[in-house]
Amino acid sequence: MHELVKGGNVGLAALSDDTGSVIVSLSWSSATGDGDADVSVLLLGAGGKVRSDADFFFYNNPAAADGSVQLLGKAPASNGSEDRISLDLTAIPPDVERIVVAASQYGGACFGDLDDLRVTLSDRTGEPLLGFSADGAADERAFVFGELYRRSGEWKFRAVGQGYGSGLAGLATDFGIEVDQGEETEGGEARAATATETVPAPAPAPALAARTAPALPLPAPAGHLAPTAPPKRPSRPRTAKKKVTLPRTTGKSLAENDFWREARLFPAPLLKSDREREMRATSVLLSVMSQVPEFGRRLTAAFGAPAGRMQTFVEVSLPFGDAPRRPDGVIRVERAGKLWTALVETKTNGNPLKSGQVQDYMDIAARRGYEAVVTLSNDVALEGSPLVDVKIDGRRKHKVALWHLSWAEVAHQAHMLIRHEGVCNAAHAWLLHELLHYLQHENSGCHGFQNMGPAWVPVRNGIDTETLVQGDRRAVEVVESWERLIRQVCLRLGGALGQKVLPVQRAKRGTDPCSRRAALADRLCEDGRLSAELRVDGAPGVITITADLRTGKLRTSVDVPVPDHGYPLSWAKRLVRRLAGAPADLHVETLVEGRRGPRGTLERLRPEPAGILPADGARITGFRLSLFKSMGSTRGNAESGFIRSVDEAVDRFHAGVVAHLAQPA
């Protein structure tokens, strides 16, 4: 990978023969685990200005109609998360000379609070081509990481690393976007209107409305400043059309009794074999992808597919040696007369992918000039731990990308569209609802990660008998299963809330994922605990999950910081008021510098909040709120299983504790 320094540039053609479609990844880390920023992209014409406000892509305007730009959102990475952008350079209008890639922070946060600021550019297969690490960020609230620009008919990349103390408003103004400065949130950032709002207008252009800051001193959810018309002029039209979402509660049933079963578009009860499940699941998913453009594009954009007309096929016979091969499905996308093709291999019911089978499809794709092979199963892919081992022939000029998709990710994207973000019409929303109902049916075999693996029971027994020693490979397998489970918990919770939920991984940039997991496995052998952290938009802090395999207890907790001003008794009373609807067995601990502080249950503190304050007047830094639960003993997702107990613990903690902290006292 080519490394750039600030101000350096390089032509993409010098790095790869295939740079028509690229993925730009922005990443950063935070010592506290709660640092975050939002990416934005600007298309600039002659003179270094946007051609119109529609050239500004951000949180509320995430994709171009022609598919040239699409914000793909955040994805877990080895040291935290990265925000990805798909750029189809062949679709960029010819009068666009530069593409600026930036990010902004909200509230009073600045980029000096974040570490390891970095931009990486990869080709459509996901292979990194270049990288740039930006140093020296201080009080900037907006930051330009880099830009792509045309030179003599070729696209080049320049490492910029320039910050704006004036935030997104200053950055947007510099590039020709009019910003309404009349109303600002805390920290000076105007906030964006939701994507579901609409105003009739004669011409398309994204509009951003300012919002006042919340009354509580809690982190505001990520949002963006957006261009609006100056005061005393009519408000700018909004490009985002009103989207259709489904209500969370259905109307009263017309059935005579509870034994009547509602007719479903995709029935699942009669499936009897794994083969039937695989065929039905593949056909159901691919048909909905082709009929619901928002859904199909969302799944395929991450694989480097262009935006275009999509058709899907099942059980296609392709010649291969003496006997043809039949992949479970084929996805084809046409744009400007060119075809993008991916072969699909599906597994359900926890069945593993077969390396030999996937290798055959990779060879077929390479020989026929196809772009990708997509595997789909209940498992969750981890960086540095591939689900299947395949060999790539480096002598072939045509590269085939191997991508993995879990059924949990499919369900997450469907849930986000029909419950939160919306689709263009009611029929599409209903189709997604039927797909989601099928995936969640107990007989579909598409329930996501559901088994901690064969090493789970031996590792638990080894911890109980104190015979598990560091370096045991089985402990690493349990750590990998734990990481997969946590990522699935994030997908499920994020889909339910309509918010970003990501695992926090505190590791230095460049740390090998396998080495990191080996260190966690050694810690498991030593103290018998598995721990993970989740960052939820709107939560007052990082949610910690700890599974103590020695005691059989699950602990979910969050640290709530105290305000910069006021009195300890006022803080304690306000906390108790905000937790009025929380479970009585909630454990509250006062965080005191240098030692452990007082602690007690919420039931004991409600009549007398002063009981949580240190008697010697020591300085309080915050309060730790925790719930405890017995964890399941079996490795699977049965009623008594470990996976289900983790799901229930996280759901109860968020609904019973975190949700109350987001409400006014």
Side-chain angles (χ1 to χ4, degrees), residues 118-131:
R118 183 171 174 82
V119 57
T120 305
L121 187 142
S122 307
D123 64 14
R124 63 174 179 81
T125 68
E127 180 179 344
L129 302 179
L130 64 87

Side-chain angles (χ1 to χ4, degrees), residues 40 58 136 151 181 191 260 309 319 327 364 439 503 581 590 628 643:
S40 53
F58 63 105
R151 187 71 78 238
Q181 301 284 4
R191 305 292 291 173
W260 285 20
R309 183 173 67 95
I364 291 173
L439 297 180
T590 303
F628 295 88
I643 293 176

